[in-house]
Amino acid sequence: RQVRQLAIQSLENDPLKARSMTTVTMCIDPEKMEEAKKRIDKFNKSMCEFLTDGKREQVYIMEVSLFPVQKRDER
């Protein structure tokens, strides 16, 4: 929740050139979630390595979320 609140503050206060916020809504096969989590982890590690190599002057938070919008009936 704290990270989401910080994202909202950034959205309201930081210039576009200082941030990147994207969203994609899609209909997926839930059976692919395990692989999706692995790919997200790989992406996170790769992006961290890229961004922390070299001159480091500012602290950033990168958040990637993948969650269901619809809730399944638990019958």
Side-chain angles (χ1 to χ4, degrees), residues 3 6 10 14 18-19 51-52 55-62:
V3 170
L6 290 171
S10 180
D14 294 327
R19 61 184 166 83
L51 290 172
T52 60
K55 184 173 66 170
R56 293 183 263 176
E57 297 179 352
Q58 272 189 302
V59 176
Y60 272 67
I61 294 174
M62 183 178 79

Side-chain angles (χ1 to χ4, degrees), residues 54-72:
K55 184 173 66 170
R56 293 183 263 176
E57 297 179 352
Q58 272 189 302
V59 176
Y60 272 67
I61 294 174
M62 183 178 79
E63 178 192 11
V64 178
S65 301
L66 181 61
F67 57 90
V69 175
Q70 298 166 273
K71 303 302 178 197
R72 289 183 172 223

Side-chain angles (χ1 to χ4, degrees), residues 14-73:
D14 294 327
L16 283 173
K17 68 179 185 176
R19 61 184 166 83
S20 174
M21 296 180 177
T22 61
T23 301
V24 177
T25 302
M26 58 196 133
C27 189
I28 70 164
D29 177 355
E31 297 294 321
K32 294 183 176 181
M33 281 301 294
E34 186 176 331
E35 177 64 22
K37 289 178 184 180
K38 289 177 185 176
R39 290 180 183 211
I40 289 169
D41 187 48
K42 184 177 178 181
F43 167 76
N44 283 341
K45 288 177 183 175
S46 172
M47 187 60 73
C48 185
E49 288 174 6
F50 169 70
L51 290 172
T52 60
D53 183 40
K55 184 173 66 170
R56 293 183 263 176
E57 297 179 352
Q58 272 189 302
V59 176
Y60 272 67
I61 294 174
M62 183 178 79
E63 178 192 11
V64 178
S65 301
L66 181 61
F67 57 90
V69 175
Q70 298 166 273
K71 303 302 178 197
R72 289 183 172 223
D73 290 339

